Structures are given as C-alpha cells and as structure tokens.
Amino acid sequence: MFLTISTTGSAERPATDLGFLLHKHPEKAQRFSTSYGTAHVLYPEADAERCTAALLLEVDAVALVRRGKGKGRGGAPDAALAQYVNDRPYAASSLLAVALSAVFSSAMRGVCNARPELPGRPLPLRVEIPALPARGGPGLVGRLFEPLGWTVGAEPVALDGEFPQWGDSRYVRLVLEAETLTLAEALRHLYVLLPVLDDAKHYWVASDEVDKLLRAGAGWLPGHPEQRLITSRYLSRRWSLTREAMERLELVRLAEADDSDVEEIDNAVAVETEAEEKPTPLAVQRREAILAALRAAAPPGCST
C-alpha cells in the first residue's frame, strides 16, 4: 500500500522543510520494521519548489495470518485461503494508519527540535492514496474530510477496467488538498479516518483504543458532524467503548464551551451524579419484601 504527502515552497521557505517535519532526510531512502511487514520512506522529488514524501508499506501476509490468532481455521473451506488472498497488502487500512503513527510519530505529535518554528506553520498539502477502501462510498469520504478543511477528490475505482458494466468497487483513489492545516493535523486526520473508512482493524480493539482516539482527535473530533460514526467505527462498533468515548468527547465540548478545564467539568459531573439518589435494586427490594412478610407471619415472641 502506498501514500504520498506533497508540499510546495519557495526559496525563502523551501518545500524540503518537509524533511525536518517528518524527521526523514530527503536524500535518503529508509526502511522500518513493523509487526506486519516493512515500511519504506523515500522522496520521489525534493527541491525548494516541491517536495514529496512517500510511505510504502510491504505487508507480510504470512505474519498477518500468524498474528491473527487462527481466524478462519476450521470454518468454510476457503476461509484459510482468504487470509492469504485479500486486499490487505494493497489497500490503505489500519495497517497503514499504524505505520504512519510508528514511522512519523514525532511529526504526528508536532515535535521538531531542529526547527521548532515549523510544526505550527500551516503548509500547502496534497495527500494521495491510490487505493482506499471506502465503506459508504465517495460521499462518506467527503463528509469525513471536508469539515476538517480538506478539498476532497474521491474517484471510484472500477471493478475491472475492461468490463465497465460490472460497476465500481468499494475502493476510491483519494486526493486531499489543504492550505490551512499543519502536517501534524493532517497525519492525525489520516490516522483516525483511514481505518474508519475501511471499517475494520487488523488487531483486537481494547480499552486503550479510546485514549488513542481522543489523543489523535484532539482539536477536531469533538466538533465533527460525523463524530458518532467516526467513534463507533474506530472502536470496531464496541458499544461500551463507544459510549465511554462519546461521554469523554462531550466533556471536552462542554469544557471548550465554558472555557474551562475538562477536569473541572468532570469533577462537577461526578459530584452531581453522586448527589442524586440512586434507585434501590430489585434484588434488594425482593429481599426486604420477603423479610417483611416473614416478620408479619412469625408467631408472637419469635424473632426473625
């Protein structure tokens, strides 16, 4: 799977500053080991006017199956084969999102010790992904990215170019362009929304995923019009985790509206909740009713 990030510049602000932000030198091709393969970072072009960084992820299908805890074994006859013959090595998914986070971790946090003035500077950005699974079609892609300041181009990919009558696949060729976003904001958008559009994850979603979502969604997710859909899909539709995330996002929204800290709002809600009278559980009510009936039926002088 493949992703490129491009920017333009001038002699005063060269586009090669992208290398400082990504912490990857434009004149070097680098490789990084991941749990499911190898990530390569290279620069197809790098000069003062234009710079493009490419992330190429080679997925090891065997490692993906071995770490999948045997899913598909003992099922349908073709279930085991489907683990090896699928779109995971080619289509942008949670595998690519995790690689982005691992390879560009400092850039995603907005850290650049060599040039500390760069991370807060908006850049003219162009992101291209040749094959992105989009469960919901190009319309959903626009609803997710456009509120964040992106101009979205989502071109459906045909099932087979030689047989147009077969229609379009569920994949799109994605082109995102923005002028007012920082690189860190762009990477955090991709980290969350790539697996949301794929509507699947290659690993088990546990409670720590809520913290990952809130960290990556800081500053944009609380006010996003598709917040509920993003939260539900990112957390693999696990209701308990989705409810926890939605409650914490609401606290963030209230804190921003009240110009106060999240901790203050959280403490106020906790105090109010504790002050409310809790209903008596039905099991306790039944026990009390049984004891009352026994006392009423007991002979005089008999203690219960």
Side-chain angles (χ1 to χ4, degrees):
M1 60 188 75
F2 193 66
L3 173 149
T4 60
I5 302 174
S6 303
T7 188
T8 55
S10 61
E12 294 76 22
R13 290 189 175 184
T16 48
D17 284 349
L18 182 64
F20 286 101
L21 287 168
L22 293 175
H23 295 256
K24 305 293 181 289
H25 199 289
E27 296 181 4
K28 297 180 180 179
Q30 298 174 266
R31 55 186 296 171
F32 306 86
S33 296
T34 71
S35 299
Y36 300 95
T38 304
H40 302 265
V41 178
L42 59 149
Y43 289 78
E45 56 183 344
D47 53 43
E49 288 74 31
R50 184 175 176 84
C51 184
T52 298
L55 174 63
L56 171 65
L57 181 61
E58 290 183 296
V59 176
D60 184 343
V62 175
L64 189 61
V65 172
R66 287 175 176 172
R67 292 175 178 269
K69 299 180 180 179
K71 293 179 180 178
R73 296 179 183 173
D78 61 345
L81 178 62
Q83 295 180 92
Y84 295 93
V85 183
N86 54 56
D87 67 350
R88 297 299 86 179
Y90 315 106
S93 64
S94 59
L95 289 163
L96 184 59
V98 170
L100 274 174
S101 176
V103 176
F104 300 138
S105 58
S106 296
M108 190 174 292
R109 297 196 311 271
V111 176
C112 183
N113 294 329
R115 298 281 299 278
E117 78 281 2
L118 290 181
R121 181 189 301 171
L123 297 175
L125 293 171
R126 180 182 174 92
V127 176
E128 296 186 51
I129 302 176
L132 171 66
R135 296 182 186 274
L140 179 60
V141 179
R143 298 205 310 272
L144 293 183
F145 281 102
E146 287 174 354
L148 302 176
W150 293 101
T151 298
V152 179
E155 177 185 350
V157 177
L159 280 172
D160 192 316
E162 296 185 5
F163 299 93
Q165 64 272 23
W166 289 0
D168 296 328
S169 67
R170 65 184 182 92
Y171 304 92
V172 299
R173 178 182 178 273
L174 180 65
V175 177
L176 300 173
E177 294 182 316
E179 299 282 342
T180 61
L181 296 174
T182 65
L183 179 63
E185 290 172 330
L187 292 175
R188 290 197 293 267
H189 296 167
L190 293 169
Y191 175 75
V192 173
L193 296 180
L194 291 184
V196 166
L197 283 166
D198 187 29
D199 200 12
K201 283 198 170 182
H202 66 281
Y203 57 89
W204 174 252
V205 174
S207 57
D208 62 336
E209 288 296 295
V210 175
D211 294 326
K212 293 180 185 178
L213 173 62
L214 296 184
R215 282 197 301 269
W220 62 270
L221 184 55
H224 198 289
E226 298 289 346
Q227 177 196 105
R228 182 174 294 276
L229 180 144
I230 294 171
T231 303
S232 176
R233 284 195 178 191
Y234 184 87
L235 297 172
S236 296
R237 305 179 189 272
R238 294 191 61 188
W239 167 240
S240 60
L241 298 182
T242 302
R243 181 177 59 187
E244 177 187 348
M246 294 295 293
E247 290 174 351
R248 291 172 62 179
L249 287 168
E250 180 63 14
L251 289 176
V252 172
R253 189 192 66 79
L254 291 173
E256 291 177 349
D258 198 39
D259 196 21
S260 59
D261 294 332
V262 174
E263 290 77 9
E264 295 178 6
I265 299 294
D266 195 12
N267 292 336
V269 171
V271 170
E272 182 179 348
T273 301
E274 291 174 359
E276 294 178 357
E277 182 180 355
K278 297 182 179 180
T280 304
L282 290 176
V284 175
Q285 296 181 36
R286 285 194 291 268
R287 287 197 296 270
E288 291 177 349
I290 292 171
L291 290 174
L294 289 174
R295 293 189 185 100
C302 179
S303 61
T304 57

